[in-house]
Amino acid sequence: MENNPIQLSSAAAHKISQLVLEEMNPDLKFRVYIIGGGCSGFQYGFAFEEDITDGDMVLEQNGVQMMVDPMSFPYLMGSTVDYLEDLQGSRFLVSNPNAKSTCGCGSSFSI
């Protein structure tokens, strides 16, 4: 893996590439962010956007661009963004060493 402060698994990179191809828009980038809410205090969010916002950290890994805003970045440092398909369905998820606790579904956490 490349030496980025936030890692992107090969499964996540493959799925992101696939979704960008399906949209037929090579300018789309994958945004990972954190918002307040969820059962544990913070919640992960994922979006596809064309434009980079001022202050965004743009990480390129496995041929995919991932953007993180300056407010979310400190909470995500050291994390790995992954893509999982299992009995609960298919989803992007974050493995975050900074999280003190997570909820059962893994989509929210506390610091």
Side-chain angles (χ1 to χ4, degrees):
M1 285 234 162
E2 295 156 40
N3 195 16
N4 280 331
I6 303 168
Q7 297 295 317
L8 188 64
S9 75
S10 56
H14 177 75
K15 186 61 178 180
I16 293 164
S17 296
Q18 196 177 15
L19 292 169
V20 169
L21 275 173
E22 285 173 14
E23 289 298 315
M24 295 186 285
N25 183 351
D27 294 332
L28 287 177
K29 296 161 201 61
F30 186 67
R31 178 175 296 283
V32 181
Y33 58 94
I34 292 175
I35 54 174
C39 39
S40 296
F42 293 101
Q43 205 169 330
Y44 300 110
F46 308 99
F48 283 93
E49 298 176 8
E50 287 185 18
D51 299 323
I52 298 169
T53 306
D54 266 358
D56 278 348
M57 171 74 72
V58 180
L59 308 167
E60 192 155 341
Q61 210 170 328
N62 298 323
V64 172
Q65 286 189 324
M66 177 172 58
M67 302 183 298
V68 181
D69 65 85
M71 295 292 285
S72 300
F73 187 76
Y75 296 105
L76 290 167
M77 291 235 352
S79 296
T80 300
V81 177
D82 200 1
Y83 181 76
L84 190 62
E85 290 183 18
D86 60 15
L87 293 174
Q88 295 178 2
S90 57
R91 64 203 176 280
F92 288 102
L93 57 99
V94 176
S95 176
N96 189 340
N98 303 309
K100 300 280 185 271
S101 65
T102 58
C103 67
C105 63
S107 66
S108 72
F109 67 101
S110 66
I111 297 287

